[in-house]
Amino acid sequence: MAGECSNGSPCEKGREGMRTKKTASATVSLIILLLGIVLVIKPGGTLNVICRIVGFAFLLAAAVLAVFGFGSREEKKQRAFYFSGAVLAALIGIILIANPKFVISLLPIAVGLFVIVNGAINFMQALSIRKSGKRWGVHMVLAVLTILLGIVIFTNPFSTMELLVRIMGVILIYDGISNLITASRL
């Protein structure tokens, strides 16, 4: 009958497929959980490793561009373009590998500058609101807080980046645990 489950029947194959999904889901969840733990415990080291991996990818891209430059039957301008790209990619790769902390610190500096400028714009807007006779106190407080936050990010970029990585780690830990709970119910 259609409802019977015996060895080799569709019912048994369905259970086997469900076990495979459960195992795969649990494995991925454990990897996510472990990655989250590593990000929380060693955020700086993790960033350095990521930076170096990206650096090696740039070196690989430089090698590929150089090979295209040598092997190209294109005109000199295009070969020069390949070689220029190879040199640029190699320089970026070397910088990423040799000094990842410097590169990592650039992102929060840029974000800090952006937040400071945005806070200054908000400050000017708060002054405009004040001139119009509307309530402006909350806008001014928010503008000043935004500027101060930007200054904190700008003056302490590496710690800011490590904090962001730790937050990502906590999120991954939560995601891994919630996925494990879900996988256990499959």
Side-chain angles (χ1 to χ4, degrees):
M1 290 192 191
E4 290 181 28
C5 289
S6 61
N7 280 347
S9 72
C11 228
E12 187 63 31
K13 289 179 185 176
R15 285 187 198 133
E16 186 177 311
M18 193 60 103
R19 274 183 282 204
T20 302
K21 286 180 185 177
K22 185 176 182 176
T23 303
S25 181
T27 303
V28 170
S29 300
L30 284 173
I31 291 169
I32 290 170
L33 179 63
L34 291 174
L35 178 60
I37 291 169
V38 169
L39 290 177
V40 169
I41 294 172
K42 286 286 209 178
T46 306
L47 288 173
N48 287 333
V49 169
I50 291 169
C51 206
R52 287 191 171 108
I53 290 170
V54 172
F56 282 113
F58 269 97
L59 289 178
L60 180 63
V64 169
L65 287 171
V67 167
F68 278 127
F70 281 119
S72 177
R73 295 179 188 238
E74 306 292 333
E75 56 187 66
K76 289 182 182 181
K77 287 180 183 180
Q78 285 188 319
R79 285 200 324 250
F81 179 75
Y82 283 126
F83 286 124
S84 299
V87 169
L88 181 62
L91 285 173
I92 292 171
I94 290 168
I95 291 169
L96 287 168
I97 293 167
N99 199 353
K101 284 187 178 183
F102 170 73
V103 175
I104 292 166
S105 69
L106 291 179
L107 181 61
I109 288 171
V111 171
L113 283 173
F114 174 79
V115 172
I116 291 169
V117 169
N118 193 42
I121 291 168
N122 292 343
F123 185 85
M124 300 304 287
Q125 291 170 338
L127 291 176
S128 293
I129 293 170
R130 183 179 130 201
K131 286 180 184 176
S132 71
K134 297 178 183 174
R135 292 182 157 198
W136 61 278
V138 172
H139 301 288
M140 184 60 72
V141 169
L142 292 175
V144 170
L145 286 175
T146 301
I147 292 169
L148 291 174
L149 180 61
I151 290 170
V152 168
I153 293 170
F154 184 77
T155 58
N156 200 1
F158 198 69
S159 293
T160 303
M161 197 62 177
E162 285 186 358
L163 176 63
L164 292 173
V165 171
R166 280 195 170 109
I167 290 169
M168 287 188 299
V170 168
I171 291 168
L172 288 175
I173 290 169
Y174 163 79
D175 187 41
I177 290 170
S178 67
N179 287 347
L180 283 172
I181 291 169
T182 302
S184 71
R185 303 284 183 201
L186 288 176

